[in-house]
Amino acid sequence: MAITETGVSYYGLSYVEHARADFQEMKDHHCTSVILALSEFDIDFWFPNIVRVAKLAKDMGMKVYLDTWGIAKWFGGEPTSLFLTNNPGNRQVSALTGESLPAACFNTYAFRRYFWDICEKLATYVEADGFFWDEPHYALPKSYASITGGAGDDWACRCSVCQEKFRQQYGYEMPKQLTMEVKRFRHDNAIEILETAGRKIRAIRPSSKITWCVHATLGTYYVTENRGYDNWDRVASNATCDTFSTTILSYSLPRSFFRSITERTVNAARKYGKTPQRWLMGYYQEPENLDEVTEIAKLYHDMGTESLFAWTYRGGYGTVLAAPHALELWDAVGRAYGEVLETK
């Protein structure tokens, strides 16, 4: 197998004439695809131009994937959530403290309908090759809201909706401890909402390819972060998963960790006939030697990765998450793609 798809995420959805130059720059950096990072505000306010920008990318010969970026803080991403602002009663709840958390509970009817409506709207009107599920996760109740860091005793969600759904399914009150039944309940519901979304998308646009991108954690026997998508076999085997992807790794981590995550990712994808995808960090942090970006890309290539993406365009230049030398890092990503991309 070889890397046949390379791409980058993109925030620039406002004006088509600017996107044209950006897409050409991506192509000059050996990108074949683009992920449009769509916040709730973008979908609500800039929707006409999302349609135009996606079509432009397609017309320029790129594949286009739609990323429900940061929606309801259930997916990864920095943008604020209109749903949480307008629906404060539909939040995830800490099991041990009963605290409402800054993330929507996806068992509530209001959020399920909201999210599925967004998916159907995008599938109906936006000419795209597929969707990208960006780091979906249960909230981690900590001293501050975070989608990073280690495991803890507390967990979510134990709101009234989850408790009632659990009681109906198992016949007793939902425990405050993460028992095997609670873990199974959480996994089942985390998978079900995305599986349903995938079926709804394909009912409208049957050719849609869907990428499930989960956190690249060790998920060992002893410690798991219990984000809801820790069982990679359950994710990769799902009928609505076409590409199985695991997330970005810090350049400061040992290369043995890169190899371990990549091996597990590729094995899980191939076991179920899916495309394996890995990521390069193209924002916030950079290696001391930018040639390491190419070395990591080659490692992914040699281990069987077929799709390789970087977050984000131009190294996050101009944002608070920009790499120290953002444009130089972006050029390094482009050089890496040029080394590993197999062209016909």
Side-chain angles (χ1 to χ4, degrees):
M1 297 293 183
I3 292 177
T4 58
E5 178 180 59
T6 51
V8 66
S9 67
Y10 182 62
Y11 310 137
L13 304 162
S14 302
Y15 297 104
V16 177
E17 59 271 27
H18 297 296
R20 183 183 301 277
D22 294 344
F23 292 153
Q24 185 58 55
E25 185 176 325
M26 291 177 198
K27 295 182 70 173
D28 292 342
H29 281 66
H30 305 286
C31 292
T32 67
S33 308
V34 62
I35 286 178
L36 302 183
L38 309 177
S39 71
E40 293 176 60
F41 178 77
D42 293 329
I43 295 167
D44 183 61
F45 189 78
W46 287 106
F47 193 79
N49 271 7
I50 291 173
V51 175
R52 298 184 184 105
V53 165
K55 184 178 186 305
L56 172 65
K58 293 287 293 175
D59 290 345
M60 293 179 67
M62 302 182 77
K63 288 184 179 179
V64 176
Y65 299 93
L66 308 178
D67 178 358
T68 48
W69 183 46
I71 286 185
K73 310 311 290 184
W74 162 40
F75 292 100
E78 290 74 30
T80 55
S81 168
L82 295 177
F83 179 85
L84 291 176
T85 300
N86 296 329
N87 298 273
N90 287 267
R91 295 180 176 229
Q92 291 187 45
V93 172
S94 156
L96 299 186
T97 69
E99 175 190 7
S100 292
L101 302 172
C105 174
F106 44 81
N107 279 327
T108 64
Y109 175 81
F111 179 70
R112 289 161 75 89
R113 190 68 267 164
Y114 176 78
F115 174 62
W116 291 335
D117 284 349
I118 284 176
C119 292
E120 290 176 322
K121 179 180 179 180
L122 291 170
T124 299
Y125 297 106
V126 182
E127 185 179 349
D129 294 275
F131 282 70
F132 179 76
W133 302 145
D134 189 346
E135 299 182 358
H137 62 280
Y138 283 97
L140 297 179
K142 296 185 177 183
S143 58
Y144 55 90
S146 175
I147 63 167
T148 59
D153 292 331
D154 205 354
W155 54 275
C157 173
R158 197 174 178 273
C159 70
S160 59
V161 173
C162 287
Q163 289 189 58
E164 178 58 22
K165 189 171 184 178
F166 183 93
R167 187 191 64 77
Q168 291 181 8
Q169 184 171 340
Y170 289 97
Y172 63 94
E173 183 180 357
M174 189 180 202
K176 291 187 177 181
Q177 291 73 39
L178 273 175
T179 64
M180 292 303 297
E181 288 82 5
V182 171
K183 289 180 182 179
R184 187 178 305 115
F185 174 83
R186 295 168 83 247
H187 287 175
D188 288 347
N189 285 281
I191 294 289
E192 188 270 337
I193 185 172
L194 289 180
E195 181 178 18
T196 301
R199 290 200 305 267
K200 289 177 178 292
I201 288 165
R202 287 180 178 162
I204 297 167
R205 198 175 289 269
S207 62
S208 284
K209 302 297 183 184
I210 299 176
T211 301
W212 292 50
C213 184
V214 300
H215 287 87
T217 56
L218 285 176
T220 66
Y221 177 82
Y222 295 102
V223 177
T224 177
E225 294 185 350
N226 288 304
R227 298 175 187 269
Y229 301 89
D230 308 78
N231 187 330
W232 291 6
D233 280 280
R234 288 204 64 184
V235 175
S237 64
N238 191 275
T240 66
C241 174
D242 297 293
T243 297
F244 178 69
S245 174
T246 52
T247 55
I248 290 165
L249 300 179
S250 166
Y251 291 113
S252 63
L253 291 168
R255 291 298 174 263
S256 60
F257 192 81
F258 281 74
R259 286 191 291 271
S260 174
I261 290 295
T262 304
E263 181 180 30
R264 290 178 55 220
T265 301
V266 171
N267 287 346
R270 287 185 176 170
K271 182 177 179 179
Y272 299 103
K274 311 302 171 71
T275 299
Q277 182 184 89
R278 287 292 296 122
W279 281 78
L280 295 169
M281 176 172 273
Y283 71 102
Y284 189 61
Q285 185 193 72
E286 62 195 36
E288 290 185 13
N289 182 350
L290 290 178
D291 290 339
E292 289 184 50
V293 178
T294 295
E295 293 173 12
I296 293 169
K298 287 182 175 179
L299 182 149
Y300 290 160
H301 170 275
D302 294 344
M303 296 189 71
T305 298
E306 297 174 44
S307 174
L308 180 58
F309 273 76
W311 195 285
T312 182
Y313 174 61
R314 283 194 161 189
Y317 181 73
T319 74
V320 296
L321 292 180
H325 303 90
L327 297 180
E328 290 88 340
L329 178 60
W330 167 233
D331 288 341
V333 169
R335 289 193 297 272
Y337 284 173
E339 290 286 334
V340 300
L341 177 64
E342 180 174 290
T343 57
K344 296 181 179 179

